[in-house]
Amino acid sequence: MIEFKNIKKSFDNKPVLHGIDGVFEPGRTNLIIGTSGTGKSVLLKCMVGLLEPDEGSVLYDDRDFTHASRNVRREIRRDIGMLFQGAALFDSKTVEQNVMFPLDVLTEMPKDEKLDRVNFVLKRVGLENVNHLMPSEISGGMKKRVGIARAIVNSSKYLYCDEPNSGLDPMTAILIDNLIKEITEEFDITTVVVTHDMNSVMEIGDYIIYMYKGSKLWEGDSSEILGTSVPELKEFIYSNKLVQALKDGENPES
Amino acid sequence: MRGIGNYFIFLGNLFIKREAFKTYIKQIIDECIKVGIDSIVIVTIVSTFIGAVTCIQTAYNLVSPLIPRYVISLVVRDMTLLELAPTITAIVFAGKVGSNIAGELGTMKISEQVDALEVMGINSVSFLGLPKIVACLIMYPMLVILAGFLAIMGGYVAGTVTNVVTPQDYIYGIRADFNEFNVTFALIKSFVFAFLVASISSYKGYKTTGGALEVGQSSTSAVTNSCIAILVADYLLAQLLL
């Protein structure tokens, strides 16, 4: 479980986050949604420790991450996997080396065991016979899959995904969404996805936080979101013509 | 001043909470190949020609018949050991290796590869910077030794081919009044310059933010700052040790 309390963050005296609270349960796909520039990625970076919040704290299974010593933070971080927007694969390493990297650096596992684990997670994300390809030789969707494989290879308890669908075609985006949801449920991971893709919201949103101008404006699940009365959220949702058509009960092809 | 302060904080982070040393061994070997082996060609070309030019220009300036010709190779030897091999090679090294380090780390920074390491709980500063610095400290003194040898050989070839000095005079001059400390001095300089180039370039690369334009700026800044640091250190070491 990930709990964050009163997270505040400013850049050059300009507030970006105005005290955000929330609880993300394990085995659920938790979404942070909102338009660009609302502070979604800043919140995510505060949660994983890439940015330090000005106030507030983040707790991983009741372990205070924000105010912890360097060693404790290090231990907690080793339970965190993250899929970055551009996958952030290491250019100089093959797919296999990329996925094996956390095991190489963070564990004492024998080589054979590491290779088995790498092949297992690569198979799980739907990639086989790509072990020796370089990141530059694979497609964007495959990079995202490799990124997911790398994030879960060390049996992470917490999985963060920053805009997992950016730059992907709609079909591949749905595949990635479903893969994230399946992995979350299968391994009982606490997953947090930052997105502004309404397809993701409807497909995988077990728990959703809507952010607007650095504040949490709404929370709920995908079955509740279409019936929201929050004007800003309505505007966000129905800016998508497909969702608008679904709401109006029209045939989107007409 | 702020930049210098951040540079020292960066140096401190290289050694704090680093991974186990065995993690770095393969990286250090890879970096040694990139830093050392891949620099041999450019160092060979530059040092051979510098030795040759030094020999010809020294001969051109020694017009008095009272000055024996072996002085030409004596000057080539001392200039090579004291200045040309460690310092000029360091400038070339900053241009080749320094820009490469800054570009590589800068690209890793803007493509979130550094963030990926941090999220895994790895100290990215030491994980990425330390192998490069250790590799430079291992390989650069070897390049300086190679450069010194080739510069003296370049002087020999140029001097004898153009008949400004006989082979016997050249060999005699190389051995005459030899001060062993000059070799020690050259090696001390090589360690200092290697550290400066590797650490400044790593720092500049690591501090990159933005996009491709900023990566280019970091590479340029790494080379210029390294060159300035080399020249300042060169002066200070000469004052302190000679």
Side-chain angles (χ1 to χ4, degrees), chain A residues 218 224-234:
Chain A
W218 182 90
E224 298 165 344
I225 197 165
L226 293 180
T228 180
S229 57
V230 177
E232 292 86 355
L233 178 55
K234 271 182 166 175

PDB file of all heavy atoms in Angstrom, chain A residues 218 224-234:
ATOM      1  N   TRP A 218     -11.024  15.195  -7.673  1.00  0.00           N
ATOM      2  CA  TRP A 218     -12.004  14.095  -7.674  1.00  0.00           C
ATOM      3  C   TRP A 218     -11.268  12.785  -7.468  1.00  0.00           C
ATOM      4  O   TRP A 218     -10.113  12.640  -7.866  1.00  0.00           O
ATOM      5  CB  TRP A 218     -12.737  14.078  -9.022  1.00  0.00           C
ATOM      6  CG  TRP A 218     -13.802  13.035  -9.154  1.00  0.00           C
ATOM      7  CD1 TRP A 218     -15.123  13.177  -8.835  1.00  0.00           C
ATOM      8  CD2 TRP A 218     -13.656  11.701  -9.663  1.00  0.00           C
ATOM      9  NE1 TRP A 218     -15.806  12.016  -9.104  1.00  0.00           N
ATOM     10  CE2 TRP A 218     -14.909  11.077  -9.610  1.00  0.00           C
ATOM     11  CE3 TRP A 218     -12.575  10.955 -10.140  1.00  0.00           C
ATOM     12  CZ2 TRP A 218     -15.140   9.768 -10.013  1.00  0.00           C
ATOM     13  CZ3 TRP A 218     -12.795   9.643 -10.549  1.00  0.00           C
ATOM     14  CH2 TRP A 218     -14.068   9.062 -10.482  1.00  0.00           C
ATOM     15  N   GLU A 224     -17.629   5.247 -11.974  1.00  0.00           N
ATOM     16  CA  GLU A 224     -18.239   6.476 -11.435  1.00  0.00           C
ATOM     17  C   GLU A 224     -17.877   7.721 -12.240  1.00  0.00           C
ATOM     18  O   GLU A 224     -18.570   8.733 -12.168  1.00  0.00           O
ATOM     19  CB  GLU A 224     -17.755   6.699  -9.986  1.00  0.00           C
ATOM     20  CG  GLU A 224     -18.145   5.594  -9.025  1.00  0.00           C
ATOM     21  CD  GLU A 224     -17.356   5.642  -7.704  1.00  0.00           C
ATOM     22  OE1 GLU A 224     -16.315   6.326  -7.650  1.00  0.00           O
ATOM     23  OE2 GLU A 224     -17.789   4.990  -6.752  1.00  0.00           O
ATOM     24  N   ILE A 225     -16.776   7.614 -12.968  1.00  0.00           N
ATOM     25  CA  ILE A 225     -16.204   8.845 -13.529  1.00  0.00           C
ATOM     26  C   ILE A 225     -17.109   9.521 -14.563  1.00  0.00           C
ATOM     27  O   ILE A 225     -17.179  10.744 -14.638  1.00  0.00           O
ATOM     28  CB  ILE A 225     -14.781   8.580 -14.095  1.00  0.00           C
ATOM     29  CG1 ILE A 225     -14.033   9.891 -14.275  1.00  0.00           C
ATOM     30  CG2 ILE A 225     -14.810   7.797 -15.399  1.00  0.00           C
ATOM     31  CD1 ILE A 225     -12.547   9.749 -14.486  1.00  0.00           C
ATOM     32  N   LEU A 226     -17.833   8.707 -15.353  1.00  0.00           N
ATOM     33  CA  LEU A 226     -18.666   9.311 -16.394  1.00  0.00           C
ATOM     34  C   LEU A 226     -19.841  10.087 -15.804  1.00  0.00           C
ATOM     35  O   LEU A 226     -20.390  10.975 -16.440  1.00  0.00           O
ATOM     36  CB  LEU A 226     -19.166   8.241 -17.374  1.00  0.00           C
ATOM     37  CG  LEU A 226     -18.077   7.577 -18.228  1.00  0.00           C
ATOM     38  CD1 LEU A 226     -18.676   6.528 -19.153  1.00  0.00           C
ATOM     39  CD2 LEU A 226     -17.310   8.596 -19.038  1.00  0.00           C
ATOM     40  N   GLY A 227     -20.204   9.717 -14.564  1.00  0.00           N
ATOM     41  CA  GLY A 227     -21.331  10.410 -13.933  1.00  0.00           C
ATOM     42  C   GLY A 227     -20.914  11.565 -13.038  1.00  0.00           C
ATOM     43  O   GLY A 227     -21.725  12.065 -12.250  1.00  0.00           O
ATOM     44  N   THR A 228     -19.688  11.994 -13.178  1.00  0.00           N
ATOM     45  CA  THR A 228     -19.200  13.052 -12.289  1.00  0.00           C
ATOM     46  C   THR A 228     -19.950  14.376 -12.488  1.00  0.00           C
ATOM     47  O   THR A 228     -20.422  14.674 -13.589  1.00  0.00           O
ATOM     48  CB  THR A 228     -17.696  13.302 -12.512  1.00  0.00           C
ATOM     49  OG1 THR A 228     -17.277  14.317 -11.633  1.00  0.00           O
ATOM     50  CG2 THR A 228     -17.405  13.740 -13.926  1.00  0.00           C
ATOM     51  N   SER A 229     -20.010  15.134 -11.398  1.00  0.00           N
ATOM     52  CA  SER A 229     -20.634  16.458 -11.513  1.00  0.00           C
ATOM     53  C   SER A 229     -19.581  17.567 -11.455  1.00  0.00           C
ATOM     54  O   SER A 229     -19.919  18.741 -11.468  1.00  0.00           O
ATOM     55  CB  SER A 229     -21.634  16.641 -10.370  1.00  0.00           C
ATOM     56  OG  SER A 229     -20.962  16.474  -9.136  1.00  0.00           O
ATOM     57  N   VAL A 230     -18.290  17.168 -11.374  1.00  0.00           N
ATOM     58  CA  VAL A 230     -17.216  18.178 -11.305  1.00  0.00           C
ATOM     59  C   VAL A 230     -17.010  18.760 -12.716  1.00  0.00           C
ATOM     60  O   VAL A 230     -16.645  18.025 -13.638  1.00  0.00           O
ATOM     61  CB  VAL A 230     -15.895  17.537 -10.791  1.00  0.00           C
ATOM     62  CG1 VAL A 230     -14.770  18.558 -10.787  1.00  0.00           C
ATOM     63  CG2 VAL A 230     -16.099  16.944  -9.414  1.00  0.00           C
ATOM     64  N   PRO A 231     -17.247  20.044 -12.891  1.00  0.00           N
ATOM     65  CA  PRO A 231     -17.193  20.618 -14.253  1.00  0.00           C
ATOM     66  C   PRO A 231     -15.843  20.425 -14.948  1.00  0.00           C
ATOM     67  O   PRO A 231     -15.799  20.093 -16.135  1.00  0.00           O
ATOM     68  CB  PRO A 231     -17.473  22.110 -14.028  1.00  0.00           C
ATOM     69  CG  PRO A 231     -18.002  22.232 -12.651  1.00  0.00           C
ATOM     70  CD  PRO A 231     -17.590  21.049 -11.875  1.00  0.00           C
ATOM     71  N   GLU A 232     -14.741  20.618 -14.190  1.00  0.00           N
ATOM     72  CA  GLU A 232     -13.411  20.502 -14.810  1.00  0.00           C
ATOM     73  C   GLU A 232     -13.160  19.076 -15.282  1.00  0.00           C
ATOM     74  O   GLU A 232     -12.570  18.854 -16.349  1.00  0.00           O
ATOM     75  CB  GLU A 232     -12.316  20.908 -13.808  1.00  0.00           C
ATOM     76  CG  GLU A 232     -12.299  22.372 -13.443  1.00  0.00           C
ATOM     77  CD  GLU A 232     -13.249  22.707 -12.294  1.00  0.00           C
ATOM     78  OE1 GLU A 232     -13.998  21.797 -11.842  1.00  0.00           O
ATOM     79  OE2 GLU A 232     -13.247  23.861 -11.849  1.00  0.00           O
ATOM     80  N   LEU A 233     -13.590  18.113 -14.473  1.00  0.00           N
ATOM     81  CA  LEU A 233     -13.402  16.713 -14.856  1.00  0.00           C
ATOM     82  C   LEU A 233     -14.278  16.374 -16.059  1.00  0.00           C
ATOM     83  O   LEU A 233     -13.845  15.674 -16.977  1.00  0.00           O
ATOM     84  CB  LEU A 233     -13.730  15.790 -13.665  1.00  0.00           C
ATOM     85  CG  LEU A 233     -13.616  14.290 -13.922  1.00  0.00           C
ATOM     86  CD1 LEU A 233     -12.238  13.903 -14.458  1.00  0.00           C
ATOM     87  CD2 LEU A 233     -13.902  13.492 -12.652  1.00  0.00           C
ATOM     88  N   LYS A 234     -15.507  16.891 -16.054  1.00  0.00           N
ATOM     89  CA  LYS A 234     -16.406  16.665 -17.198  1.00  0.00           C
ATOM     90  C   LYS A 234     -15.767  17.179 -18.485  1.00  0.00           C
ATOM     91  O   LYS A 234     -15.771  16.505 -19.508  1.00  0.00           O
ATOM     92  CB  LYS A 234     -17.715  17.430 -16.975  1.00  0.00           C
ATOM     93  CG  LYS A 234     -18.774  16.668 -16.229  1.00  0.00           C
ATOM     94  CD  LYS A 234     -19.997  17.548 -16.150  1.00  0.00           C
ATOM     95  CE  LYS A 234     -21.218  16.780 -15.739  1.00  0.00           C
ATOM     96  NZ  LYS A 234     -22.363  17.681 -15.560  1.00  0.00           N
TER      97      LYS A 234
END
